[in-house]
């Protein structure tokens, strides 16, 4: 996240972006990449699920979710099992539907967690207490709340409807041969989310080219060049030029990016449509085909 701790604590390492990000209201203040999806389910109820719950989930949830009138989460999608994507799963216990009697917390609902089989296996090893084998009604532990999640494997490029929203996993590389999921939302890929990417396989790029993308959200860690596990700005903009979404949003930026200065520069580039750095708490309204 930004501000970088080293830059915040060590004056000799300080930078202007991290200095600005120390202000709570700053758009340079960035948590780990995450996406909140709010939609209306087929039965008319409002649903909310997130993509990734990293190390900064709780901090950002406290400031963002109340304003979105989100009281709890109906599900979690995970892109991969790195700590900036999964460590906040421990905090899921606090946003599950739970009932309290005077002495015992007991979970009365199970939150579905969706990911690749590999990611689910790794997450269950890290958080075994969040994936207990007993039924929810039987889960209690004295006076502490117990988590209850269910693992749901998503297969690459196979669409699954989650709370009324069609979701398609997009396998991309995230450093070497490490596979990470991006996600497309809507039957025609109305919203595409690629948070951690170092390369897009040719067959996935073919799928992306067939989508009618309204919003493309894509990884851009550095202004000048790619790093081992992440695209830089040149690679992200090249994908935007190739896919031609109506709107492009860049995420995962390091403190080498100043929000306002970079967006002013991007606005002058006529080849990338409406492309800007995203900011924490940003809202984008789209109509998804179901």
């Amino acid at each position: 996240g930004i501000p970088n701790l080293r830059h915040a604590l060590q004056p000799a390492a300080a930078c202007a972006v991290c200095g600005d990000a120390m202000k709570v209201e700053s758009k340079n203040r960035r948590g780990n990449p995450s996406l909140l999806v709010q939609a209306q389910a087929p039965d008319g109820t409002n649903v909310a699920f997130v993509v990734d719950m990293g190390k900064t989930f709780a901090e950002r949830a406290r400031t963002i979710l109340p304003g979105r009138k989100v009281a709890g989460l109906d599900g979690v999608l995970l892109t991969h099992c790195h700590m900036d994507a999964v460590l906040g799963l421990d905090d899921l216990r606090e946003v599950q539907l739970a009932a309290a009697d005077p002495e015992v917390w007991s979970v009365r609902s199970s939150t579905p967690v969706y990911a690749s089989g590999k990611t689910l296996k790794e997450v269950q090893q890290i958080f075994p207490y969040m994936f207990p084998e007993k039924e929810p009604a039987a889960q209690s532990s004295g006076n502490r709340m117990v988590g209850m999640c269910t693992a749901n494997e998503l297969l690459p490029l196979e669409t699954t409807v989650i709370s009324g929203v069609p979701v398609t996993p997009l396998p991309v590389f995230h450093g070497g041969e490490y596979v990470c999921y991006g996600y497309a939302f809507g039957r025609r890929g109305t919203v595409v989310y690629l948070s951690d990417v170092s390369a897009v396989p040719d067959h996935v790029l073919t799928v992306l080219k067939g989508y009618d993308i309204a919003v493309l959200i894509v990884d851009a860690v550095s202004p000048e060049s790619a790093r081992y596990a992440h695209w830089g700005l040149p690679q992200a903009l090249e994908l935007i030029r190739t896919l031609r979404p109506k709107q492009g949003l860049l995420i995962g930026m390091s403190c080498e990016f100043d929000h306002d200065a970079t967006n002013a520069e991007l606005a002058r580039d006529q080849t990338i449509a409406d492309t800007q750095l995203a900011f924490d708490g940003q809202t984008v309204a789209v109509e998804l085909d179901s």
Side-chain angles (χ1 to χ4, degrees):
I2 306 297
N4 178 293
L5 278 178
R6 183 182 301 107
H7 293 185
L9 300 176
Q10 300 175 11
C15 71
V17 170
C18 286
D20 181 72
M22 292 295 287
K23 297 180 289 187
V24 175
E25 72 279 6
S26 171
K27 290 183 178 178
N28 282 318
R29 192 179 183 94
R30 302 169 189 138
N32 299 139
S34 182
L35 179 70
L36 171 68
V37 179
Q38 293 182 269
Q40 191 172 76
D43 63 2
T45 59
N46 294 322
V47 298
F49 57 89
V50 296
V51 181
D52 285 344
M53 299 180 71
K55 296 177 287 185
T56 58
F57 170 76
E59 173 195 351
R60 307 316 277 153
R62 290 186 185 100
T63 58
I64 295 170
L65 297 191
R68 303 292 185 270
K69 300 187 184 304
V70 175
L73 295 174
D74 298 283
V76 177
L77 279 72
L78 298 176
T79 57
H80 64 305
C81 191
H82 286 172
M83 293 301 101
D84 60 354
V86 305
L87 199 59
L89 275 173
D90 182 74
D91 297 304
L92 184 59
R93 295 179 294 168
E94 298 188 18
V95 293
Q96 289 191 296
L97 298 174
D101 65 28
E103 296 183 357
V104 178
W105 278 100
S106 61
V107 173
R108 60 181 172 85
S109 67
S110 180
T111 302
V113 176
Y114 302 89
S116 68
K118 179 178 182 294
T119 294
L120 287 172
K121 182 178 179 180
E122 293 171 342
V123 167
Q124 287 172 297
Q125 291 173 340
I126 297 170
F127 302 100
Y129 56 92
M130 294 295 291
F131 295 86
E133 296 180 359
K134 296 179 181 179
E135 292 299 316
Q139 288 301 306
S140 63
S141 177
N143 61 359
R144 67 182 283 270
M145 192 194 313
V146 178
M148 171 60 71
C149 295
T150 53
N152 298 267
E153 182 178 0
L154 297 178
L155 299 177
L157 300 179
E158 290 195 10
T159 301
T160 299
V161 177
I162 299 173
S163 298
V165 178
V167 178
T168 306
L170 304 168
V172 298
F173 294 118
H174 178 32
E177 297 299 311
Y178 183 90
V179 175
C180 171
Y181 273 175
Y183 289 104
F185 299 92
R187 296 286 179 186
R188 295 178 297 169
T190 306
V191 176
V192 171
Y193 182 80
L194 301 173
S195 62
D196 296 84
V197 56
S198 59
V200 177
D202 289 343
H203 71 287
V204 176
L205 184 59
T206 298
V207 171
L208 289 170
K209 288 179 178 178
Y211 284 153
D212 182 15
I213 304 174
V215 184
L216 174 60
I217 305 167
V218 62
D219 185 17
V221 71
S222 168
E224 299 297 333
S225 60
R227 297 181 183 172
Y228 173 72
H230 294 275
W231 269 353
L233 183 62
Q235 293 77 28
L237 295 185
E238 184 59 31
L239 184 70
I240 289 169
R241 294 186 183 101
T242 298
L243 299 182
R244 303 183 64 171
K246 295 178 178 65
Q247 182 179 10
L249 290 173
L250 305 173
I251 60 173
M253 295 81 63
S254 70
C255 58
E256 296 174 88
F257 291 91
D258 176 79
H259 184 86
D260 291 336
T262 304
N263 280 347
E265 184 177 344
L266 290 170
R268 292 191 288 269
D269 190 336
Q270 299 300 307
T271 70
I272 53 174
D274 179 14
T275 295
Q276 299 277 273
L277 302 187
F279 60 89
D280 288 17
Q282 184 169 1
T283 299
V284 179
V286 296
E287 185 172 343
L288 294 178
D289 53 312
S290 56

